[in-house]
Amino acid sequence: MEQASLRDLNEPLIDHAEGQFFLNEAFKIIMEEVLSNGTDVKQKVCEWKEPEELALLLDLGVRETGEPRDKLLQRVRDVAKYSIKTSHPHFFNQQYGGVDYHSLAGRFLTEALNTNLFTYEVAPVFVLMENEVLRGLRQLVGWTEGDGIFCPGGSTSNMYAMNLARYQRFPQVKSQGVWALPRLSIFTSPESHYSVKKGAAFLGIGLDNVIFVKVDDRGRMIPEDLDEKIELSKSQGAVPFLVSCTSGTTVQGGFDPLEHIADICDKHKLWMHVDACWGGSVLFSKKHRHLMKGVDRANSVAWNPHKMLVAGLQCSALLLKDTTNLLKQCHSANATYLFQQDKFYDVNLDIGDKSVQCSRKVDCLKLWLMWKAVGSTGLEERVDKAFIHARYLVEQMKKREGFQLLSMPDFVNVCFWFVPPSLRGKEGTEDYQEKLAKVAPVIKERMMKQGTMMVGYQPLGNKVNFFRVTVFSPLLSQKDMDFFLDEIERLGKDL
Amino acid sequence: MEQASLRDLNEPLIDHAEGQFFLNEAFKIIMEEVLSNGTDVKQKVCEWKEPEELALLLDLGVRETGEPRDKLLQRVRDVAKYSIKTSHPHFFNQQYGGVDYHSLAGRFLTEALNTNLFTYEVAPVFVLMENEVLRGLRQLVGWTEGDGIFCPGGSTSNMYAMNLARYQRFPQVKSQGVWALPRLSIFTSPESHYSVKKGAAFLGIGLDNVIFVKVDDRGRMIPEDLDEKIELSKSQGAVPFLVSCTSGTTVQGGFDPLEHIADICDKHKLWMHVDACWGGSVLFSKKHRHLMKGVDRANSVAWNPHKMLVAGLQCSALLLKDTTNLLKQCHSANATYLFQQDKFYDVNLDIGDKSVQCSRKVDCLKLWLMWKAVGSTGLEERVDKAFIHARYLVEQMKKREGFQLLSMPDFVNVCFWFVPPSLRGKEGTEDYQEKLAKVAPVIKERMMKQGTMMVGYQPLGNKVNFFRVTVFSPLLSQKDMDFFLDEIERLGKDL
Ligand SMILES: Cc1ncc(COP(=O)(O)O)c(C=O)c1O
Ligand SMILES: Cc1ncc(COP(=O)(O)O)c(C=O)c1O
């Protein structure tokens, strides 16, 4: 009796009352642990555990039988406890710290509605909403028409741009592959995001065909060198097709000179892509949008509201100037099971074939709700305030001993070495760089083990390990800047 | 006075009390509208509106100024109201209907914690958890070791497999691109998911190099034809490198004969990928896992717990038999700002370079929490019950007039034509097929406009429009099967 071994076939396997009770309790834990304690400067940013210890504590293995409610709620609590509090004002580690409650409400609603952005029939609200949000972002770029799509992260948005540029120039690539094309080349700066490299490898273009253009000391592409490198590449038999500029480089926060690069792209007839994943949000600010002057001349822009605008992961828009339906032509597979042409509504609303994904998460609602809540002026205020915090930090660093800036920041990334007491005044000595390189990792270890804050460090070219702090969370106040500096001093004073 | 125009620099731009109040209120709306009303069979699955009307109702445009709390809460309510209730038992439209409350709690927690799966330092819990969940899934495939990663959807998982297969065979592709390789070819069935085609185009392999192998009447690849097609492709100068089999085809739910295909892959030394995005969950069932016999001989398996297991979008695992760190070698860019080698913990825990993404959403927690809650046996029960529901549906169709099956289903997809009264007994007539093709779209339009249920239709090869119903949601009971049949009859009885 097959059926006898299962519960009654008229009894669903989900108990709504129990399930909703659980969800309610879990919500309370989230509110308390993640959103209240987790954003409280008096509480820790992280609760460091060695991996082996953490694995034991969490008892992660999956088993044959289920667990009772209380145990599961304890698991929710443990996951929250041992996870990093990325919304905490002292989480300076990455470009996605902070929280916006309207966005978060949008994310919860997205999860509950659990639908896919591929057809109007399953996502009527979101098909229209994504379109409006993209229009709003395009308007800030300076385009009154165009196209676009939300992608699972900026790396994917950058890849899309690469694929579109390739297809526009050589449409036969879709059917025949790269074999049908001459060898292509891509131009970007060495300080551009590594996703340009990943994309070139993934798309079959190859890392050797990514050509790095020189940058100035703030990490901004030098247009004259771009022009020369393009000529050189041509003379070596390659076909340049894409320049990937950056607005807001990951480490230094540099903005490539877009106007000048646009001239060169015009001259050589290259697709101009702007990776504004990090810096794009300056477009909200009347004061700072000049950093991206010329962006309207680009063919495509990648912009991650999940970074500076804290819309929540993942939220990345690829914006296109194109009005010829290139996105769909390039990516479509015309699956008849999903994109039937004999539907009772306008099938142009079935936007799924613009994507290389099939299931595609709804990433627009969180941004839309936040935007509705604070308006463009509210977002502008956040951007402007971030710049003020960054400048304050720079001014304070100049006043304190031991803080040495890499360069004057253009943006809200502040890159600096902390020179501990024992190394001060020894700049010229033989093993100075070697010793300086070891400072940041030690300070980092200490801050994490004490749980007081988190900030990233890295080497760059011939510059040894330095800290990069990004200040943009709308939770930040000037006190947090002071705390940051005090804490670096405290953690490094005996080094 | 730059600062005077902004609020006090010591006052964060986020008001936690107001924000948390809002989130609480939004949560109540979600509970009521989406989870209670939205799963109630007495309520509608959808509230159909024409796009123009919906756009007006929702007032989607973004503006300069923000809106008050009550208006925003009304927006939350409206988004919920006009969105499709994909958790509703009568949402049969796609392979992701239904809800699991534990998974949903995991998704809310994921959103609140808002971190990235690239380094141990920002995701200690999730680096370890993903590893355990992948281990659990691999074990079901029959592998005691291996590798894997969660991807933003099954299409991406399939692309990863393609890229890995290519790289394993020709490592030079990463640096030199596809130009350095002979023309490659890929083998799959015409009933495989369209992501194989999208992947081939995106990766620069080209659609012409995807070779379609014949299938039987249930949509299962015919191994003899595979062997012949491989030989033919070789004789035409291409280098076959990958067979992409399907376990659970999208439309018919067919399972390719993996053992037999594995023999052929062995013979020709090809990478064997199994797209088990839809069907993989049968591995939980002792009764039905035979459908995937031979899967342990594959090199890679893509499996979407966001489909049959209702883990929530997005949740897709790529599983690998490889133990040589191929995933990282193939995808790494070694970004020094993220993957510093002088960290104070084991940098092998910084798994980000296995991905072609940079930011990567945490997709494991929701599956993990659900798995912990019901155990493998709970998931097995869901799979087994889905099969029973599907078989019941088939039996009932045989008893009712007008329901004509495409073929006996292997899985939980039931494909059928509804032959309305006016067409019964006219099978041989000239315009029968043409008329039959028009039936499903009309019934679909009616069900959506009345909001009673949703189910998909499509043509396939020379078969005109038929319905595909997938029954797997843990919310389903036998009554819902009866409702489904009654409703199709009711909506189509005058046609
Ligand atoms: C300049 C820049 N571009 C692209 C990306 C990649 O975005 P994502 O992490 O969403 O893939 C980043 C991420 O840090 C970035 O800083
Ligand atoms: C067999 C099969 N493979 C792959 C996919 C793609 O998965 P995703 O929608 O997550 O990209 C699907 C989706 O329906 C599918 O049915």
Side-chain angles (χ1 to χ4, degrees):
Chain A
M1 289 280 64
E2 181 170 57
Q3 306 193 186
S5 65
L6 291 160
R7 283 181 247 167
D8 179 355
L9 288 171
N10 258 327
E11 190 196 303
L13 288 168
I14 298 283
D15 176 340
H16 288 285
E18 171 60 26
Q20 293 182 12
F21 181 86
F22 184 85
L23 193 57
N24 246 308
E25 295 300 302
F27 180 73
K28 286 185 212 158
I29 296 171
I30 291 171
M31 276 294 210
E32 189 185 315
E33 293 291 337
V34 184
L35 298 171
S36 297
N37 295 339
T39 59
D40 180 353
V41 291
K42 295 186 292 298
Q43 308 264 348
K44 287 182 171 186
V45 176
C46 61
E47 188 68 53
W48 173 260
K49 296 285 170 204
E50 295 296 333
E52 301 72 30
E53 191 188 352
L54 184 59
L56 276 180
L57 269 170
L58 293 172
D59 170 34
L60 291 165
V62 284
R63 311 220 168 76
E64 284 299 303
T65 49
E67 295 181 348
R69 181 209 287 165
D70 287 349
K71 183 135 189 205
L72 294 167
L73 288 172
Q74 186 55 46
R75 293 195 176 281
V76 169
R77 215 175 266 286
D78 287 346
V79 168
K81 178 169 179 187
Y82 296 109
S83 286
I84 304 302
K85 305 305 177 300
T86 65
S87 302
H88 193 290
H90 300 161
F91 178 81
F92 299 102
N93 211 67
Q94 242 91 25
Q95 300 148 302
Y96 60 90
V99 66
D100 176 281
Y101 289 97
H102 294 103
S103 147
L104 191 53
R107 283 135 74 191
F108 284 8
L109 182 55
T110 302
E111 292 300 324
L113 287 169
N114 195 45
T115 201
N116 250 322
L117 248 171
F118 46 47
T119 59
Y120 184 77
E121 70 187 72
V122 297
V125 173
F126 302 125
V127 165
L128 301 178
M129 185 184 284
E130 183 172 77
N131 193 27
E132 277 303 322
V133 173
L134 289 170
R135 186 203 308 274
L137 295 175
R138 273 198 313 265
Q139 207 161 23
L140 290 163
V141 168
W143 295 335
T144 50
E145 14 170 50
D147 202 351
I149 192 166
F150 278 85
C151 295
S155 301
T156 308
S157 296
N158 286 341
M159 270 188 215
Y160 268 44
M162 209 176 273
N163 197 39
L164 290 166
R166 177 170 73 175
Y167 176 77
Q168 194 199 42
R169 184 81 168 258
F170 299 103
Q172 67 271 36
V173 69
K174 187 173 174 181
S175 52
Q176 294 171 259
V178 166
W179 295 282
L181 318 186
R183 185 167 61 83
L184 303 177
S185 58
I186 290 171
F187 300 80
T188 195
S189 91
E191 302 208 11
S192 74
H193 190 257
Y194 69 85
S195 50
V196 178
K197 291 204 271 178
K198 291 210 172 191
F202 201 59
L203 268 62
I205 293 168
L207 297 177
D208 293 350
N209 298 310
V210 179
I211 294 169
F212 293 105
V213 180
K214 285 189 197 140
V215 289
D216 66 16
D217 62 350
R218 293 188 185 184
R220 299 173 297 200
M221 196 188 279
I222 298 173
E224 293 72 19
D225 191 56
L226 172 62
D227 199 22
E228 280 171 32
K229 292 260 164 73
I230 292 170
E231 294 291 3
L232 182 65
S233 179
K234 284 185 182 173
S235 74
Q236 291 167 342
V239 175
F241 77 109
L242 171 72
V243 179
S244 188
C245 326
T246 314
S247 288
T249 56
T250 313
V251 177
Q252 294 211 71
F255 285 78
D256 288 344
L258 302 182
E259 283 283 15
H260 206 143
I261 294 172
D263 291 340
I264 296 170
C265 288
D266 279 352
K267 174 176 154 194
H268 295 282
K269 298 201 171 35
L270 309 188
W271 182 287
M272 177 174 168
H273 173 62
V274 179
D275 172 357
C277 285
W278 171 224
S281 302
V282 302
L283 293 174
F284 276 103
S285 165
K286 286 182 276 298
K287 201 177 198 77
H288 300 291
R289 55 171 298 135
H290 68 87
L291 288 164
M292 288 180 66
K293 191 158 181 303
V295 65
D296 54 306
R297 296 177 62 190
N299 297 88
S300 54
V301 175
W303 179 353
N304 282 8
H306 73 221
K307 296 194 195 284
M308 193 167 194
L309 301 180
V310 296
L313 290 159
Q314 55 196 42
C315 190
S316 174
L318 175 72
L319 307 173
L320 295 170
K321 189 192 265 164
D322 173 74
T323 55
T324 67
N325 220 6
L326 190 69
L327 196 51
K328 185 160 173 189
Q329 286 167 37
C330 179
H331 292 153
S332 63
N334 304 307
T336 51
Y337 84 93
L338 199 54
F339 307 117
Q340 305 91 316
Q341 297 302 303
D342 52 8
K343 286 184 178 177
F344 66 95
Y345 59 82
D346 176 5
V347 293
N348 286 317
L349 294 165
D350 289 354
I351 53 176
D353 234 7
K354 293 187 178 186
S355 173
V356 300
Q357 301 185 275
C358 171
S359 297
R360 185 162 65 92
K361 236 184 123 60
V362 172
D363 293 330
C364 57
L365 171 58
K366 50 198 169 192
L367 174 57
W368 178 81
L369 198 60
M370 176 171 79
W371 202 337
K372 281 286 194 189
V374 301
S376 301
T377 48
L379 298 174
E380 175 173 28
E381 189 180 15
R382 291 187 190 175
V383 173
D384 287 347
K385 200 160 174 176
F387 273 89
I388 292 176
H389 283 322
R391 286 178 190 175
Y392 175 77
L393 205 52
V394 167
E395 292 314 311
Q396 295 304 307
M397 282 186 185
K398 288 185 182 162
K399 289 182 190 159
R400 297 192 189 213
E401 242 191 309
F403 289 88
Q404 196 189 323
L405 287 163
L406 246 78
S407 63
M408 271 304 292
D410 278 332
F411 194 33
V412 299
N413 310 32
V414 181
C415 294
F416 67 94
W417 287 281
F418 178 70
V419 184
S422 73
L423 284 180
R424 291 182 197 158
K426 307 222 170 113
E427 282 73 5
T429 58
E430 199 193 351
D431 52 358
Y432 177 81
Q433 294 295 332
E434 203 180 305
K435 283 182 174 163
L436 185 61
K438 295 202 171 111
V439 173
V442 173
I443 294 181
K444 176 74 179 253
E445 175 170 3
R446 289 177 178 180
M447 70 177 75
M448 286 204 68
K449 289 193 168 163
Q450 297 175 29
T452 51
M453 71 176 188
M454 283 178 70
V455 61
Y457 71 84
Q458 61 280 301
L460 183 69
N462 58 6
K463 299 183 174 88
V464 301
N465 281 329
F466 56 89
F467 287 110
R468 175 205 64 173
V469 55
T470 53
V471 289
F472 63 95
S473 159
L475 272 57
L476 287 179
S477 71
Q478 227 162 54
K479 282 194 290 254
D480 300 308
M481 305 299 117
D482 296 330
F483 172 85
F484 176 80
L485 297 167
D486 293 346
E487 189 63 9
I488 294 277
E489 283 176 353
R490 186 183 74 81
L491 294 166
K493 65 171 183 286
D494 63 333
L495 294 177
Chain B
M1 288 276 66
E2 181 169 57
Q3 306 192 188
S5 65
L6 292 159
R7 283 181 248 167
D8 180 355
L9 289 170
N10 259 326
E11 189 196 303
L13 288 168
I14 299 283
D15 176 341
H16 287 285
E18 171 60 26
Q20 293 183 12
F21 181 86
F22 183 85
L23 193 57
N24 246 309
E25 294 301 302
F27 180 74
K28 284 184 213 159
I29 296 171
I30 292 171
M31 276 294 210
E32 189 184 315
E33 293 291 338
V34 185
L35 299 171
S36 296
N37 295 339
T39 59
D40 180 354
V41 291
K42 294 186 292 300
Q43 308 264 348
K44 287 183 172 184
V45 176
C46 61
E47 188 67 53
W48 172 260
K49 295 285 169 204
E50 295 296 333
E52 301 72 29
E53 190 188 353
L54 184 58
L56 275 180
L57 269 171
L58 293 173
D59 170 34
L60 291 165
V62 285
R63 310 218 169 78
E64 284 299 303
T65 49
E67 294 181 348
R69 182 210 286 166
D70 286 349
K71 183 135 191 206
L72 294 166
L73 288 171
Q74 186 55 45
R75 293 195 175 281
V76 169
R77 214 175 269 283
D78 287 345
V79 168
K81 177 169 180 188
Y82 295 109
S83 287
I84 304 302
K85 305 305 177 302
T86 65
S87 302
H88 193 289
H90 300 161
F91 177 82
F92 299 102
N93 211 66
Q94 242 91 25
Q95 299 148 302
Y96 60 91
V99 66
D100 176 282
Y101 289 97
H102 294 103
S103 147
L104 191 53
R107 284 136 73 193
F108 284 8
L109 182 55
T110 301
E111 292 300 326
L113 287 169
N114 194 46
T115 202
N116 249 322
L117 248 172
F118 46 47
T119 60
Y120 184 77
E121 69 187 72
V122 297
V125 173
F126 303 124
V127 164
L128 301 177
M129 184 183 283
E130 182 171 80
N131 194 28
E132 277 303 322
V133 173
L134 289 170
R135 186 205 307 276
L137 295 174
R138 274 198 311 264
Q139 206 160 23
L140 290 162
V141 168
W143 295 334
T144 51
E145 11 171 54
D147 202 351
I149 191 165
F150 278 85
C151 294
S155 301
T156 307
S157 296
N158 286 341
M159 270 188 214
Y160 268 44
M162 209 175 272
N163 196 40
L164 290 166
R166 177 170 73 175
Y167 175 77
Q168 195 201 42
R169 183 82 169 258
F170 300 103
Q172 67 271 35
V173 69
K174 187 173 173 180
S175 52
Q176 295 171 260
V178 165
W179 296 282
L181 318 185
R183 185 166 62 82
L184 304 178
S185 60
I186 291 171
F187 300 80
T188 195
S189 91
E191 303 208 10
S192 73
H193 190 258
Y194 69 85
S195 50
V196 178
K197 291 204 271 178
K198 291 211 174 193
F202 201 59
L203 269 62
I205 292 168
L207 297 176
D208 293 351
N209 298 311
V210 179
I211 294 167
F212 293 105
V213 179
K214 283 189 197 140
V215 289
D216 66 16
D217 62 351
R218 293 188 187 185
R220 298 173 300 200
M221 197 189 278
I222 298 173
E224 293 72 20
D225 190 57
L226 171 63
D227 199 21
E228 279 171 33
K229 292 261 163 74
I230 291 170
E231 295 291 3
L232 182 65
S233 178
K234 283 183 182 174
S235 75
Q236 292 167 341
V239 175
F241 76 109
L242 170 72
V243 178
S244 188
C245 325
T246 313
S247 288
T249 55
T250 313
V251 177
Q252 293 212 71
F255 285 78
D256 287 345
L258 302 183
E259 283 284 14
H260 205 142
I261 294 172
D263 291 340
I264 295 169
C265 288
D266 280 352
K267 174 175 154 194
H268 296 282
K269 300 201 170 31
L270 308 189
W271 182 288
M272 176 176 169
H273 173 63
V274 179
D275 173 357
C277 286
W278 171 226
S281 303
V282 302
L283 293 173
F284 276 102
S285 164
K286 286 183 275 300
K287 200 177 199 79
H288 301 290
R289 55 172 298 135
H290 67 88
L291 288 165
M292 288 181 65
K293 193 159 179 304
V295 65
D296 55 306
R297 295 177 63 190
N299 298 87
S300 54
V301 175
W303 179 353
N304 282 8
H306 75 220
K307 296 194 194 284
M308 193 168 193
L309 300 180
V310 296
L313 289 159
Q314 54 196 45
C315 191
S316 173
L318 175 73
L319 306 173
L320 296 170
K321 189 192 263 163
D322 173 74
T323 55
T324 67
N325 218 6
L326 190 69
L327 196 50
K328 186 161 172 187
Q329 286 166 39
C330 179
H331 292 152
S332 63
N334 304 305
T336 51
Y337 84 92
L338 200 53
F339 307 117
Q340 305 91 316
Q341 297 302 301
D342 52 8
K343 285 183 180 180
F344 66 98
Y345 59 81
D346 176 4
V347 293
N348 286 316
L349 294 166
D350 289 355
I351 53 176
D353 235 6
K354 292 186 178 186
S355 173
V356 300
Q357 301 185 276
C358 171
S359 298
R360 185 161 66 91
K361 236 184 124 59
V362 172
D363 294 330
C364 56
L365 171 58
K366 50 199 170 192
L367 175 57
W368 179 81
L369 197 61
M370 177 171 79
W371 203 336
K372 281 286 193 190
V374 300
S376 301
T377 48
L379 297 175
E380 176 174 28
E381 189 179 16
R382 292 187 190 175
V383 172
D384 287 348
K385 200 160 176 176
F387 274 88
I388 293 175
H389 284 322
R391 284 175 193 178
Y392 176 78
L393 205 51
V394 166
E395 292 315 311
Q396 295 304 308
M397 282 187 186
K398 288 183 181 161
K399 290 182 190 159
R400 296 190 188 216
E401 240 190 311
F403 289 89
Q404 195 188 324
L405 287 163
L406 247 78
S407 62
M408 270 303 293
D410 279 333
F411 194 31
V412 299
N413 310 32
V414 181
C415 294
F416 67 95
W417 287 279
F418 178 72
V419 184
S422 73
L423 286 179
R424 290 182 198 156
K426 308 225 169 111
E427 281 74 4
T429 57
E430 200 193 348
D431 52 359
Y432 177 81
Q433 294 296 333
E434 203 181 305
K435 283 182 175 162
L436 185 60
K438 298 206 171 105
V439 172
V442 173
I443 294 181
K444 176 73 180 252
E445 175 170 2
R446 290 177 178 180
M447 70 177 75
M448 286 204 68
K449 290 195 168 161
Q450 296 175 29
T452 51
M453 72 176 187
M454 283 178 69
V455 61
Y457 71 84
Q458 62 280 302
L460 182 70
N462 59 6
K463 299 182 174 88
V464 301
N465 281 330
F466 56 90
F467 287 110
R468 174 205 65 172
V469 56
T470 53
V471 288
F472 63 95
S473 160
L475 270 57
L476 288 178
S477 72
Q478 228 161 53
K479 281 193 290 252
D480 300 309
M481 307 297 117
D482 296 330
F483 171 85
F484 177 81
L485 297 167
D486 292 345
E487 188 64 9
I488 294 276
E489 283 176 351
R490 186 183 74 82
L491 294 166
K493 66 173 184 286
D494 63 333
L495 294 178

